[in-house]
Amino acid sequence: MTSMQIGLSVFALMLVLMGIRVPIAISMFVPGAIGYLMLSGWHPLLAHLKGAVYGRVSVYDLSVIPLFMLMGAFAVQGGLSKALFDFANALLGRFKGGMAMAGILACAAFGSISGSTVATTATIAQVAYPEMRRIGYTGRLATAVLATGGTMGVLLPPSVTLMVYAILTEQNITKMFLAAYIPALLAAIGYLAAIAIMVRLHPDQAPPAKAAPLSEVLASGARVWPILAIFFVVFGGIYGGLFTATEGAAIGNILTFAITLLRGDMDRSRFVNAVRTAAQTSGMIFMIFIGADMINAALALSQLPMQLSDLVAHMQISPVIVMAGIMIFYILLGCVMDEMSMILLTVPTLFPVIMGMDFFGLMPADKALWFGILILTVCEIGMIFPPVGLNVYIMNGLAKDVPMAETYKGVVPFLATDAIRLSLLIMFPALSLWLVHRLT
């Protein structure tokens, strides 16, 4: 077999293993190790393994991941999600579909302190779904709204996926955080507009509007000030240059733990659960890192990424068309793997291709930030895209009374707004870069 054939075989074997539900880390590590062995032999493989694993997990920048994961776990165990949803619902309940809109905003707010899509979806859904069903929302709309809202955890800082992309491509994490805010705002606006249109076209999907008294709005607002304080201290300090992202994550942990403790929402059992959850999730992420490094090393030896880059460079195709093709590739890949695995597997191959092309005259640093936001946007779409949207599966597990097909029907309008947003982000890179240029 030629090196190219070995590289393609390694990639195909990985997809097969993922298709039969072998854990992602193993699905990448085993084909990578086999390919490396076929291309180099036993001694080079063992020499690579001896240093590669330690070299990957000992990188200081990676410490930001378990720290933000622990901060999110404290927020989940401390019951901050209910306060967020109650406040959003008090503000928006006066509108038709207001509680559904509140679910979107609660997901966005909770995602901005948890950094995890799965945690955001599961946590907000446990609070919001029973209440939405109780007052008369259809199962289709309720599950679709919460599954979609949870995807915002992919893009909103401190998104773990965003940080992994920044580390892989050696970009400034703070600039990546800034680049994500306007695209995330566009997502929220699109989702709110989709809800407003749906409940007017299909009034039976949502109950009549019911405005909350001012006293309830003020009371619920008083319960969310600690969350706002955490956000402004952590991210204000990071953007203001007072401390690094890692230091900000550590400070966020102290604040989140202290606030939940003072509110009486944290006890020994919840503390242990938070630490265990953060450790398990971080361990899974680091194992995926190791597996991705192994398969990327094998693919590099096969020269598959280099030949792909050369192929694209010699094709007389508009760079925008190439970017659109890559976005479609990511959506299809999302049918068999999660967003973290997609980033770790594909970015080392596709990033050099993108950096070698000219997009609207962008400078390399801006191009890297823009490409990262596009990838994260597509990862958001993949979380609810049929037939294997992870967030839809999470909602199906929480809302067993609603068939999964109904949820997929419900997410179609949100996918339409996502398609519009992705097109705008591709055609107008300034949407991702304006805030970066203004504040750095």
Side-chain angles (χ1 to χ4, degrees), residues 1-12 39 298-311:
M1 295 177 69
T2 65
S3 60
M4 174 68 79
Q5 290 172 329
I6 292 174
L8 292 172
S9 299
V10 164
F11 194 80
L39 290 163
L299 292 175
L301 282 177
S302 73
Q303 297 188 328
L304 183 62
M306 185 183 301
Q307 294 189 39
L308 176 63
S309 181
D310 289 342
L311 177 64

Side-chain angles (χ1 to χ4, degrees), residues 4 11 13 29 65 81 138 165 171 189 192 275 321 358-359 361 366 369 378 392 394 408 435-436:
M4 174 68 79
F11 194 80
L13 177 58
F29 185 88
I65 294 175
S81 57
T138 63
Y165 173 85
Q171 301 304 308
I189 292 172
L192 295 179
V275 174
I321 299 298
D358 178 40
F359 290 93
D366 287 344
L369 295 174
V378 178
V392 175
I394 292 171
Y408 276 125
L435 205 55
V436 178

Side-chain angles (χ1 to χ4, degrees), residues 317-332 354 357 359-360 370-371 374 378 422-423 426-427:
I317 300 178
S318 166
V320 174
I321 299 298
V322 174
M323 182 64 79
I326 290 175
M327 296 298 102
I328 293 171
F329 167 74
Y330 269 106
I331 292 174
L332 296 177
I354 295 300
M357 304 182 76
F359 290 93
F360 311 108
W370 174 62
F371 182 53
L374 294 181
V378 178
L422 180 61
S423 300
I426 291 176
M427 297 306 299

Side-chain angles (χ1 to χ4, degrees), residues 287-306:
M287 288 298 293
I288 294 174
F289 259 113
I290 293 168
D293 281 352
M294 185 72 258
I295 196 168
N296 283 322
L299 292 175
L301 282 177
S302 73
Q303 297 188 328
L304 183 62
M306 185 183 301

Side-chain angles (χ1 to χ4, degrees), residues 60-71 112-113 157-160 162-164 166-167 171-178 181 230-231 233-254:
Y60 172 75
D61 288 346
L62 288 180
S63 61
V64 73
I65 294 175
L67 284 172
F68 271 122
M69 294 303 300
L70 182 59
M71 187 176 101
S112 69
I113 58 173
S159 162
V160 175
L162 185 152
M163 289 186 284
V164 168
I167 293 168
Q171 301 304 308
N172 184 285
I173 292 178
T174 301
K175 290 184 178 181
M176 282 300 309
F177 282 176
L178 288 171
Y181 280 116
I230 293 170
F231 181 85
V233 169
V234 172
F235 293 102
I238 292 173
Y239 302 144
L242 297 178
F243 36 74
T244 66
T246 303
E247 293 164 347
I251 292 169
N253 271 286
I254 295 171

Side-chain angles (χ1 to χ4, degrees), residues 158-233:
S159 162
V160 175
T161 312
L162 185 152
M163 289 186 284
V164 168
Y165 173 85
I167 293 168
L168 279 178
T169 58
E170 300 180 349
Q171 301 304 308
N172 184 285
I173 292 178
T174 301
K175 290 184 178 181
M176 282 300 309
F177 282 176
L178 288 171
Y181 280 116
I182 291 179
L185 178 63
L186 290 176
I189 292 172
Y191 296 156
L192 295 179
I195 293 170
I197 293 171
M198 280 192 288
V199 297
R200 279 159 181 75
L201 294 178
H202 306 283
D204 57 311
Q205 291 201 25
K210 181 181 179 182
L214 180 60
S215 59
E216 182 179 334
V217 175
L218 295 176
S220 59
R223 291 193 292 271
V224 302
W225 74 263
I227 302 168
L228 297 176
I230 293 170
F231 181 85
F232 283 114
V233 169

